[in-house]
Amino acid sequence: MISITNRAIKSVWQDFTPDEMILKMMETFRYMVNHCIRIGLKNDSTTLKRLSNLAYHELRQYDILSYYKLHAISKAAGILSNRKQSIKRGIATKDPYLKKPILVSCYGFKLENNTFKIPLGNKTYLSIPLNNYTKQILSDPNIDINSFTLTLNLISISYSRIVDKIECKNTAGIDRNLRNLTYGNCEQVIQFDLSKTVQIAKNTKSIVASFKRNDFRIRKKIYSKYGKRKKNRVNQILHKVSKSIVEYASKKKEAIVFEDIRHIRKLYQKGNRQGREFRGKMNSWSFSGIKKQVEYKARWIGLPVIQLSKKETNGTLTLCPTCGKRLQEQRTSRELWCNTCQRWLDRDVVAVMNQSLRGLSRFDSSKGDASETMNRNTVKVSLILQVDVSKSLFPNLGFDRTDTLYHQY
């Protein structure tokens, strides 16, 4: 049997305070990136190859290792490419530039005696002692260190490893909502309560609004402090949910299917006849945050992730997963009625069922066998597990069965 392998990438970071020499190098790197951006804008160049040919000799005026010149060109190419994509989507953009000093390289560094060494030139290195957590991760013999990034307050080290792809025979969809997240397929559905993230965002907004100091610098500092606290608290909740989902999917050998809701922010823009409070609440929804966390954790263990297209996502909330007929919506609740099957269905459950079926169709068609997908349409009963984020589902996954509510549809 041939095993399929992929390279999974993660990063670890720790606090770091640069000295005067490193600060100078970081500023030089920023100047080089902005120089390359100006060259790219002047010559309408966004590809790395063309920008390298145009900019590399222009960077001779900077007294720094060639390692960093190459990465400055790469960083500028990425910024220019993102600008080009924004223009294609019709988003008005200004001329970009790198605002904060950083230092990036994938060459020349060393890891010796639990110390990370960064090349400075003339065969000299900056030695950064690693904390226990970073040492534990980087001491794994199965990983390869790819690159490092220095900022004004931390060092981030990227590492990777080769993982065997898990052979999945089933799929499960994820439906992201403001107050809950639903995961499952036609066999079983689990709902995670995320209402605490809404309360965190509401409390943060209330705290920030209570400060009346008419000083922009003070307000900016306060907003930054409470904004970071809100982000950290929400990310911790999403981390627990994403970890549970990936562990459960790995145990069941289910490929994870995501819907395409990339442009949902447009529904809550100013001018859409919605209240300011409602727009603020909906725009605080971290729908992409949970997706990023699930994706990188799934790839780290070799679990497949399927991204549906916009066309494939259409109808996941309006079609019955059993008969395929259009469902009737009851506006006073989140339930949908199917005239053919003569039953009520929760709209979140309908969404994950349809996502799993469409993901399974693509999953099986890539293998040349879609018979299982057709058979799945006969499933009429789904078991729903409603779980609080702070509770557990199974002992080995960090859930407690006694705190789980079971509902039969």
Side-chain angles (χ1 to χ4, degrees), residues 1 11 14 57 85 91 101 121 212 227 238-239 251-252 282 303 345-346 349 353 365 394:
M1 184 176 183
S11 64
Q14 69 176 49
H57 295 292
Q85 293 298 323
I91 302 174
K212 304 298 183 181
L238 299 183
H239 165 70
K251 179 182 176 182
K252 294 289 187 178
M282 296 305 296
L303 189 68
L345 292 169
D346 184 273
V349 176
M353 284 183 178
S365 63
F394 301 107

Side-chain angles (χ1 to χ4, degrees), residues 65-76:
L65 284 174
S66 297
Y67 299 154
Y68 304 117
K69 295 179 182 180
L70 296 172
H71 285 85
I73 298 173
S74 178
K75 182 74 174 177

